[in-house]
């Protein structure tokens, strides 16, 4: 007699979420729900603009002539420091987001560093699951939620 499991046996076999964050026990909408793509992009644009501005001030570049790799380094450093210290970058804070672990705790020190370095590689941020968690968040065990 052939015995097959009646349901998923691993997390990878779970069906997609009905709403982002469902599998993590997060609400569909409102505070503590997963931060949606629009807010995340807005936060990214704000944080990138801050990194460009700081790079121009510190290294004497102009807004039309700067080294993108220097900006990327400043961006990653700012992300790691702000997320570890405050649980949100300036961009996240302005659009109402904060970073937590998937268990609901503060992200601590190592998670923001890993997340920020992977975000700097860009590819992990372009791939996400039905919970709208990018690969960088999945590896770090974090999720961006609404405040």
């Amino acid at each position: 007699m052939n015995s097959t499991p009646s349901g998923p046996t691993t997390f990878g076999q779970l069906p997609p979420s009905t709403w982002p964050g469902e599998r993590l026990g997060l609400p569909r909408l409102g505070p503590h729900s997963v931060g949606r793509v629009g807010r995340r992009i807005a936060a990214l644009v704000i944080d990138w603009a801050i990194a460009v501005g700081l790079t121009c001030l510190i290294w004497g570049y102009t807004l039309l002539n700067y080294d993108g790799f220097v900006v990327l380094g400043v961006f990653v450093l700012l992300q790691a420091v702000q997320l570890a210290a405050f649980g949100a970058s300036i961009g996240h804070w302005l659009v109402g987001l904060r970073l937590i672990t998937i268990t609901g705790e503060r992200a601590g020190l190592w998670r923001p560093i890993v997340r920020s370095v992977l975000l700097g590689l860009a590819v992990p941020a372009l791939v996400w699951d039905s919970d709208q968690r990018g690969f960088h968040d999945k590896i770090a065990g974090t999720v961006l939620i609404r405040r």
Side-chain angles (χ1 to χ4, degrees), residues 68-94:
F69 286 110
V70 174
V71 173
L72 180 61
V74 169
F75 173 81
V76 168
L77 180 65
L78 286 174
Q79 287 289 300
V81 169
Q82 292 175 84
L83 291 174
F86 309 113
S89 67
I90 293 171
H92 293 147
W93 185 79
L94 289 174

Side-chain angles (χ1 to χ4, degrees), residues 19-22 24 26-44 87 91-93 95-101 115 125 128-134 136-137 142-147:
W19 69 83
E22 176 187 25
L24 303 173
L26 299 174
R28 182 184 301 252
L29 299 169
H32 307 287
S33 64
V34 169
R36 301 305 198 270
V37 174
R39 286 179 189 257
R40 294 166 70 123
I41 290 173
L44 179 68
H92 293 147
W93 185 79
V95 300
L97 296 174
R98 68 185 172 104
L99 185 73
I100 61 170
T101 67
R115 183 186 188 277
W128 62 80
D129 62 10
S130 63
D131 289 317
Q132 292 187 358
R133 290 176 62 223
H136 60 299
D137 278 322
T142 56
V143 60
L144 268 175
I145 63 167
R146 291 180 59 186
R147 284 189 281 131

Side-chain angles (χ1 to χ4, degrees), residues 48 52 55-56 59 61-62 64-73:
W48 188 262
V52 169
T55 300
C56 290
W59 281 274
Y61 293 116
T62 67
L64 298 175
N65 184 21
Y66 57 83
D67 185 336
F69 286 110
V70 174
V71 173
L72 180 61

